[in-house]
Amino acid sequence: MLRKGFSTLLFVVLAVELSFWFGVGVSVNDKDVWSSSSEKGTIGERSLEVRFDGAATHWTDALPVGNGRLGAMIWGGIVNETINLNEDTLWTGTPGYYEDPNAPTTLSEVRKLVDNRKYAEATAVAANLSGNPSAVYQLLGDIKLEFEVSHADYDKGTYQRVLDLDTATVKVQYSVNEVEYERDYFASHPDEVIVMKISVNKSSSLNFTVSLDSKLHHHAYANNNSQIILDGRCPGRRIPPHVFGNSSPKEREALGPVQHTNPKGIEYFAVLDLQIGDGVGDVHVVDGRKLQVVGCNWAVIRLAATSTFDGPFTDPVDSKKDPSSESLSKMDAAKAHSYADLYSRHVNDYQALFHRVSLQLSKGPMTATKNDKDGVMTTAERVKSFKIDEDPSLVELLFQYGRYLLIACSRPGSQPANLQGIWNKDIEPAWDGAPHLNINLQMNYWPSLSCNLKECQEPLFDYISSLSVNGKKTAQVNYGASGWVAHQVSDIWAKTSPDRGQAVWALWPMGGAWLCTHLWNHYAYTMDKEFLRNKAYPLMEGCTSFLLDWLIEGPGGRLETNPSTSPEHTFTAPDGKPASVSYSATMDMQIIREVFSNIVSAAEELGKSDELIARVRKAQARLRPTTIAKDGSIMEWAEEFADPEVHHRHLSHLFGLFPGHSINVEQTPDLCKAAENTLIKRGEEGPGWSTTWKAASWARLHKSEHAYRMVKHLFDLVEPSHEGDFEGGLYANLFTAHPPFQIDANFGFSAAVAEMLVQSSPRDLYLLPALHREKWANGCVKGLKVHGGLTVSVCWSEGDLDQLGIWSDNGGNGVKTLHYRGATATANISSGMLYTFNSHLECVGTRTLL
């Protein structure tokens, strides 16, 4: 049998030959475009599987599948199986009003208190600037399968439940009385359905009952002997937040008593279709809502679902969408394809994205002797043993798992990935499942560019467009400013006003500005000028207009922000009182500096020169600079306040280091040293997203030992039954923990690992800048994207660079300065050409791309 690595190489060679001799266009994934001579005789790519040897006992044991819009969690039960379902538009609420006409008066009062250095008093009054809570992400329901009681006596040694990242498919296998049962699950993006096939190896041996249920208000019934319908409605008014003591009187009045009648919320409709094969078996309707299958060989279940959600500005009561006809139409289209065709279409669509990047890591030589323990141990066992064996293949798996999850929960046309991606089991999920704009939503999309999944970012850009509409009203009414603004938390209705509660988290008008940095980064990586001109620039322009109006002149002619908070962190004011509101917190100024730099660069790219850009250029020199404290760390606030929580989870004042670019090893060495001191001061403990932010930040500083320590720190198996005892870590299904589950660290981990291996700027390319030369002594990463529309593949051995491949296939040409351990070289990259460089950064080969 041919090894997988050899097969891949053979395919690439054949593709090149076909293209050269016959002009045949053969699609080759980015990871397969280039190979290093050092790979000869090495193992092929390892299996990428999340593996269990038993059914789930907790939700975080279940395995996720998704197609961007629909999600499912597979428990793998024997006698009773549950598949939790999600549809990304199911939220509480209706379009909101995100303006407060009383805010300008309060704002003026807060600013005067800050000017008089009465920070505690300003903090108290600033709570009156808070708004209402966000809407809440909901669930769709469950597919319930009931098998014969005899299944309780299954052969435990035969049980497997595996998520294969290579095909985005979950497989459950076990035997009962020598009959082999298999269930295969996937979520098809091209056909917009969740699909499950149940089969046995003994004719007429498959018997089960299937039904639909939901925690939401619903009606479930059998439409005929092959379909079940689930329809219902989300609450039009959310359940009041549990932390009611922190709510303002205005918030409590707006929420109203719990018993108030709900307005009409989003309606949903799901259809489950059952098909049995080979003309064997019978199906009966039971209790008017279940389908009972008797004596068949195999069965295929398809599920389609939609809602009445028609954008953030349309009230559900006014929606013209008909989810019943839409879902039934999707189902009819899916039924036109056989199971084999559905699976093939799903895999082809998914692998076109997933196969762009590969990662291989090894402590020792990557010889052809393959270590198969990843196929024997459960994933939970591997996580437990990581503290001892530090298995690099588990890092590979978690890196690719982040990419898998992003593909599964964020596709063009879907909603952006929320705090739990797309997966949720609760009516009241933690933190409402809502997008949080002070780190979490942004981290969800950190790997989209470097890890070669640019399409997955499209829902974020559509969402920013919606925020800009509501945010324009918030900016004008609340702050008397032009442009648009968004605060710390939002929802499907594009909420832009401050959150409920205390100013320490609610009063943070930088959420939209941070999101706008993603717009410029998308252009910087893709060089898509149409995107920059038509999508990004107008949004950046509106954001910049707000920031210019939000800035006020302070002492010495500095431009300041007032009021200002450092997200979710308090300080001790000079009078000894706790406070959170002051002026010009470091993160404010770093984000504004980044946005201003980006829009100036964007204007240059588009040949624009107008009054707005002139104002920005004048303002840039007047922004308060990032300052170093007496202890050598970066100051978090404009004044050197006492910090009652030096190990706070947020790294807000290091935004300029990562993901920003104003602190970097080449241009700001003093700030880099201060950033290093800051990270040491913050410590290593924290929730999962804090851990991965620290890993990426250490990588930016080119500190491999520290970056790797944070990678290792995440591999701590969280026990769901007492997750409160943990801080950060991984659940058995590799979901990352705050705890509870938040998906952001899954994405942050992928981005951090990519950052350890390759970094870039518009002019520079850093190779293996934070590679741990012992823990990952040998390896290859292929298909990463960098600034300038370039793709990069790197291989190394014994901790040293071996070879590097660079190419551009987007029509762009560029010059990059290559950096490796202090050595530099200039690379002139032409579109359509592939360049190979050796360990001395010398170009040793070129060829034309396919």
Side-chain angles (χ1 to χ4, degrees), residues 76 324 336 378 502 668 705:
S324 60
T378 67
Q502 300 176 13
T668 59
E705 190 72 36

Side-chain angles (χ1 to χ4, degrees), residues 100-111 125 129 478:
D100 179 4
N102 298 316
T105 301
T106 304
L107 178 64
S108 178
E109 184 180 355
V110 171
R111 282 178 165 167
V125 174
L129 291 169
N478 289 30

Side-chain angles (χ1 to χ4, degrees), residues 97 130-134 250-252 254-255 495 497-500:
Y97 297 94
S130 298
N132 296 321
S134 68
K250 178 177 63 177
E251 175 190 337
R252 292 195 287 271
L255 284 170
K495 168 183 164 62
S497 56
D499 190 18
R500 65 179 179 88

Side-chain angles (χ1 to χ4, degrees), residues 523-542:
Y523 171 74
Y525 273 77
T526 65
M527 307 306 290
D528 183 347
K529 195 160 285 189
E530 288 305 304
F531 167 82
L532 181 64
R533 178 180 295 107
N534 299 325
K535 184 80 169 183
Y537 195 83
L539 294 170
M540 295 168 65
E541 200 171 32

Side-chain angles (χ1 to χ4, degrees), residues 657-676:
L657 173 66
F658 189 93
H661 303 86
S662 58
I663 301 174
N664 59 76
V665 293
E666 295 293 329
Q667 298 171 313
T668 59
D670 291 344
L671 288 179
C672 282
K673 179 60 180 176
E676 182 178 346

Side-chain angles (χ1 to χ4, degrees), residues 283-297:
V283 180
H284 308 285
V285 175
V286 178
D287 297 333
R289 62 185 185 86
K290 298 181 179 181
L291 298 179
Q292 184 180 45
V293 177
V294 180
C296 75
N297 295 342

Side-chain angles (χ1 to χ4, degrees), residues 490-758:
S490 191
D491 54 29
I492 198 169
W493 307 110
K495 168 183 164 62
T496 52
S497 56
D499 190 18
R500 65 179 179 88
Q502 300 176 13
V504 65
W505 68 77
L507 183 58
W508 193 71
M510 293 292 135
W514 188 345
L515 287 175
C516 276
T517 66
H518 285 247
L519 295 165
W520 170 252
N521 286 337
H522 185 82
Y523 171 74
Y525 273 77
T526 65
M527 307 306 290
D528 183 347
K529 195 160 285 189
E530 288 305 304
F531 167 82
L532 181 64
R533 178 180 295 107
N534 299 325
K535 184 80 169 183
Y537 195 83
L539 294 170
M540 295 168 65
E541 200 171 32
C543 172
T544 301
S545 293
F546 170 76
L547 294 176
L548 286 168
D549 287 354
W550 181 246
L551 289 164
I552 57 178
E553 188 164 338
R558 293 282 190 198
L559 292 178
E560 312 274 10
T561 57
N562 176 8
S564 177
T565 61
S566 190
E568 302 182 27
H569 199 186
T570 61
F571 57 86
T572 302
D575 58 7
K577 298 176 182 177
S580 61
V581 174
S582 62
Y583 64 97
S584 299
T586 299
M587 190 183 212
D588 278 12
M589 307 315 295
Q590 289 180 350
I591 289 176
I592 293 171
R593 185 173 289 108
E594 192 89 7
V595 171
F596 283 3
S597 174
N598 290 348
I599 197 166
V600 167
S601 297
E604 291 172 351
E605 289 290 306
L606 298 175
K608 291 179 176 287
S609 180
D610 54 23
E611 181 184 354
L612 179 75
I613 299 302
R615 290 179 63 198
V616 169
R617 290 184 184 278
K618 290 179 181 178
Q620 282 178 302
R622 300 174 61 196
L623 295 176
R624 176 177 288 274
T626 299
T627 307
I628 299 174
K630 293 176 183 177
D631 66 0
S633 66
I634 288 179
M635 287 173 55
E636 187 165 357
W637 298 276
E639 297 183 31
E640 203 160 342
F641 300 124
D643 185 349
E645 193 180 358
V646 294
H647 301 311
H648 193 265
R649 59 194 176 276
H650 281 260
L651 304 180
S652 303
H653 46 320
L654 293 185
F655 171 89
L657 173 66
F658 189 93
H661 303 86
S662 58
I663 301 174
N664 59 76
V665 293
E666 295 293 329
Q667 298 171 313
T668 59
D670 291 344
L671 288 179
C672 282
K673 179 60 180 176
E676 182 178 346
N677 293 335
T678 304
L679 285 166
I680 292 171
K681 183 177 177 181
R682 268 301 197 251
E684 295 183 352
E685 298 303 317
W689 57 262
S690 180
T691 300
T692 58
W693 195 356
K694 290 168 185 172
S697 298
W698 279 117
R700 274 281 168 92
L701 293 171
H702 299 182
K703 300 295 182 180
S704 59
E705 190 72 36
H706 284 287
Y708 181 80
R709 282 178 61 86
M710 297 316 301
V711 166
K712 183 179 178 181
H713 191 72
L714 191 64
F715 287 89
D716 187 19
L717 186 65
V718 175
E719 295 292 341
S721 59
H722 52 96
E723 63 185 7
D725 296 340
F726 293 82
E727 193 166 19
L730 299 169
Y731 293 101
N733 67 357
L734 295 186
F735 274 171
T736 50
H738 185 287
F741 163 56
Q742 279 186 205
I743 203 168
D744 36 29
N746 283 112
F747 303 131
F749 182 86
S750 301
V753 170
E755 200 73 16
M756 293 170 73
L757 302 176
V758 175

